[in-house]
Every structure is written in structure tokens, then in C-alpha cells.
Amino acid sequence: TKEDFIKWLKKEVAVYKPILGLTLTKIAIEEDTDGPFLHMGFHYPYLDSTLFFSDRAFKKWVDGKTEDIDVLHECCHLLTDPLYAKALSRSSSKDEIEDARELLTDTIAHIIYKLL
């Protein structure tokens, strides 16, 4: 059922949040019937986001073809999207881009350090 799929998504998200340094981030799970496979909606600069899933993602999960890395990929967007948001903004200064770059770099360094 879709409820089982949502439970699985929540379990996967719970695994990746501490590894990616996202323990303060709230990640809701919602259906987006016509949306892309899975996609992460973020509300920069806030610590809440939404993992959306489509009918296609649900059907792939039912068929046993969804991989853990699909959810991990979406969680990683929470690391990269602040830089993406600044880069797309026409009013971003060089200092703002540099700040977002350093935050992303430091987050990745902490993730790798934790795994070592």
C-alpha cells in the first residue's frame, strides 16, 4: 500500500539524516501524483523540506525495483540546493556564493570524516 511505501521512505530518510548532518531538518513525505519519480522540495533557508513521490515511484517500489540510493540522492539535495538557490538568484553576490560553497564543502568533509 502507499502507507507502507511512506513508512519505507520515512525509514530510509531516518537512516540518512544523521549521516548527512541533517538531524535538525524536518522532512515530510507527500504524494505528488504527476511529479517526477522522487523529488525533494526545500524551503531555503529553513530547516523543513518535503520528499515528494509519484505514482511511478510507488509502482517501482511495489515491483521491488526501488533502490536505497534513490532516497539518498534526494536527501543529498538538501546539501546542494542552498548553493543551487544562490547560484540561480540574479542578486547573489560573490560572497554569498562563496559562503554557500564553504557550507557545502564543510558538510561534505564532516560526512566523510564521520564515515572514516
Side-chain angles (χ1 to χ4, degrees), residues 27-82:
I27 303 173
I29 311 285
E30 291 184 20
E31 184 174 6
D32 181 6
T33 308
D34 299 323
F37 183 69
L38 292 172
H39 66 284
M40 187 65 75
F42 77 110
H43 307 104
Y44 179 79
Y46 304 103
L47 294 176
D48 65 308
S49 59
T50 306
L51 175 60
F52 294 98
F53 68 91
S54 67
D55 283 339
R56 191 170 65 107
F58 173 66
K59 287 174 186 167
K60 187 177 176 184
W61 179 78
V62 168
D63 293 340
K65 296 181 180 176
T66 302
E67 298 182 45
D68 298 352
I69 197 165
D70 296 332
V71 179
L72 175 57
H73 173 96
E74 293 308 318
C75 289
C76 286
H77 274 289
L78 296 174
L79 303 178
T80 61
D81 281 354

Side-chain angles (χ1 to χ4, degrees), residues 79-93:
L79 303 178
T80 61
D81 281 354
L83 180 59
Y84 178 72
K86 291 212 186 264
L88 291 181
S89 172
R90 291 179 163 238
S91 62
S92 293
S93 69

Side-chain angles (χ1 to χ4, degrees), residues 90-113:
R90 291 179 163 238
S91 62
S92 293
S93 69
K94 181 179 179 187
D95 287 342
E96 287 176 313
I97 298 294
E98 180 67 25
D99 181 60
R101 174 183 177 230
E102 286 302 320
L103 176 61
L104 178 58
T105 302
D106 199 43
T107 302
I108 292 168
H110 278 83
I111 291 166
I112 293 169
Y113 185 78

